[in-house]
Amino acid sequence: MKCIASLVLLGGVLGAALQPARAEKPPLHLASLEWLPYVGHGLPDGGMSGAVAKSVAARFEYGIKIDFFPWKRAMQVGGSDPDFVGYFPAYHTAERAQQCHFSAPMGTSTIGLATLAEAPLHWRVLDDLAGNKLGVVLGYSNGEAFDQMVKSGKLLVDVSESDTINLKKLLAGRIRAAVIDKAVLRYLLASDATLSRERAKLVFDGQPLAVLTLHVCFQRTPQGLKLKQSYDEALRRTDIGGIENAYLDHLDRTLDAGRR
């Protein structure tokens, strides 16, 4: 009986060994930008939005791989390069919706104006901002109403490659205000040495331009649609706010320790 049991056990082991290995899924290869704290190659998990995407993807057995580019290039590469499945974190716009499969919201972004504390802007509607030179980042959407007024020439903008450049232009008096995300401003004032020294001079205007949802923009292909559907299903089972709060708390502690 012992021999039979041993043969059965050996057969089971050999049978398992001879089974074809389960193919490991390639990671979701996404293009992104340096937009700290949401995304950045030097941050844990590639940033706060990277941590959300990683958690969501793990729920349907995928990993995440993020390559970083200037934003306009990230949209081009993520939107069409076959080595990628999409780009993120993207604001939803009607134009982009024609070019990719948007995931469900994976967070929000509060867009507003950074101004000099000694020279606040007083405005109620976008028309009140006409005549003021406003710093914007190349390729960024700042809400459909704002973007449309820029396209129509009703708002005067000065385009830069990054939020950091815009804030330095603001401090130098070259622009009247910088259009920026509230969390990004908070992060830059805590982490950039030059801006940190000047932080008392900068404020975030109390009236936001827009509160925009963040998404993965999956390529407009059959595979992109399938991944979008799986991603959305996993998103419904993910505590996005919990991940973001834990991430920002950790980041604050790390930055505080670095300043000591």
Coordinates of all heavy atoms in Angstrom, one line a residue, residues 21 28 34 51 53 75 77 109 131 149 154 157 173 196 211 231 250-251 254:
A21 N 3.3 26.0 -17.8 CA 3.4 27.1 -16.9 C 2.4 28.2 -17.3 O 2.2 28.4 -18.5 CB 4.8 27.7 -16.8
L28 N 0.7 46.5 -17.3 CA 0.0 47.6 -18.1 C 1.0 48.7 -18.3 O 1.5 49.4 -17.3 CB -1.2 48.1 -17.3 CG -2.3 47.2 -17.1 CD1 -3.5 47.9 -16.3 CD2 -2.8 46.5 -18.4
E34 N 5.8 64.1 -15.4 CA 6.2 64.5 -14.0 C 5.2 65.5 -13.5 O 5.2 66.7 -13.9 CB 7.6 65.1 -14.1 CG 8.7 64.1 -14.4 CD 9.0 63.2 -13.2 OE1 8.8 63.6 -12.1 OE2 9.4 62.0 -13.5
A51 N 0.0 54.9 -7.4 CA -0.4 54.0 -6.3 C -1.8 53.5 -6.5 O -2.1 52.3 -6.3 CB -0.2 54.6 -4.9
A53 N -3.5 53.4 -9.4 CA -3.5 52.5 -10.6 C -2.9 51.1 -10.3 O -3.4 50.1 -10.8 CB -2.7 53.2 -11.7
M75 N 0.9 61.9 -24.2 CA -0.4 61.7 -24.8 C -0.2 61.0 -26.2 O -0.9 60.1 -26.6 CB -1.1 63.0 -25.0 CG -1.7 63.5 -23.6 SD -2.8 64.9 -23.8 CE -1.7 66.2 -24.5
V77 N 2.5 59.2 -27.2 CA 3.1 57.8 -27.1 C 2.0 56.9 -26.5 O 1.8 55.8 -27.0 CB 4.3 57.9 -26.2 CG1 4.8 56.4 -25.8 CG2 5.5 58.6 -26.9
S109 N -8.9 66.5 -9.3 CA -7.9 67.5 -9.2 C -8.7 68.9 -9.2 O -9.5 69.2 -10.0 CB -7.1 67.5 -10.5 OG -6.4 68.6 -10.8
G131 N -7.6 90.2 -19.8 CA -6.6 91.2 -19.6 C -5.5 90.9 -18.7 O -4.5 91.6 -18.7
M149 N -12.2 79.6 -23.7 CA -12.0 81.0 -23.7 C -10.5 81.3 -24.1 O -10.3 82.3 -24.8 CB -12.2 81.6 -22.3 CG -13.7 81.6 -21.9 SD -14.0 82.6 -20.4 CE -13.7 84.3 -21.0
K154 N -10.1 85.1 -25.7 CA -10.7 85.9 -24.6 C -9.8 86.0 -23.4 O -10.0 86.9 -22.5 CB -12.1 85.4 -24.3 CG -13.1 85.6 -25.4 CD -14.5 85.1 -25.0 CE -15.5 85.3 -26.1 NZ -16.9 84.8 -25.7
V157 N -2.8 83.9 -22.2 CA -2.0 82.9 -21.5 C -0.6 83.0 -21.9 O -0.3 83.4 -23.0 CB -2.6 81.5 -21.7 CG1 -4.0 81.4 -21.1 CG2 -2.6 81.1 -23.1
G173 N 7.1 88.4 -11.4 CA 6.2 89.4 -12.0 C 6.0 89.4 -13.5 O 5.5 90.3 -14.0
S196 N 10.2 77.0 -1.8 CA 9.9 76.9 -0.4 C 10.3 78.1 0.4 O 9.7 78.6 1.3 CB 10.7 75.7 0.2 OG 10.4 75.5 1.6
V211 N -13.1 71.6 -10.8 CA -12.7 70.4 -10.1 C -12.9 69.3 -11.1 O -14.0 69.0 -11.5 CB -13.6 70.1 -8.8 CG1 -13.2 68.8 -8.1 CG2 -13.5 71.3 -7.8
Y231 N -10.5 47.4 -15.8 CA -10.0 48.5 -14.9 C -11.2 49.1 -14.1 O -11.2 49.3 -12.9 CB -9.3 49.5 -15.7 CG -8.5 50.5 -14.8 CD1 -7.2 50.2 -14.5 CD2 -9.0 51.7 -14.5 CE1 -6.4 51.1 -13.7 CE2 -8.3 52.6 -13.7 CZ -7.0 52.3 -13.4 OH -6.3 53.2 -12.6
H250 N 2.0 59.9 4.2 CA 3.4 59.4 4.1 C 4.3 60.4 3.5 O 5.4 60.6 3.9 CB 3.4 58.0 3.4 CG 4.8 57.5 3.1 ND1 5.6 56.9 4.1 CD2 5.6 57.5 2.0 CE1 6.7 56.6 3.6 NE2 6.7 56.9 2.3
L251 N 3.9 61.0 2.4 CA 4.7 62.0 1.7 C 5.0 63.2 2.6 O 6.1 63.7 2.6 CB 4.0 62.4 0.4 CG 4.8 62.9 -0.7 CD1 5.9 61.9 -1.1 CD2 3.9 63.2 -1.9
T254 N 7.6 62.3 5.0 CA 8.9 62.2 4.4 C 9.5 63.6 4.1 O 10.7 63.9 4.3 CB 8.8 61.4 3.1 OG1 8.3 60.1 3.3 CG2 10.1 61.3 2.4

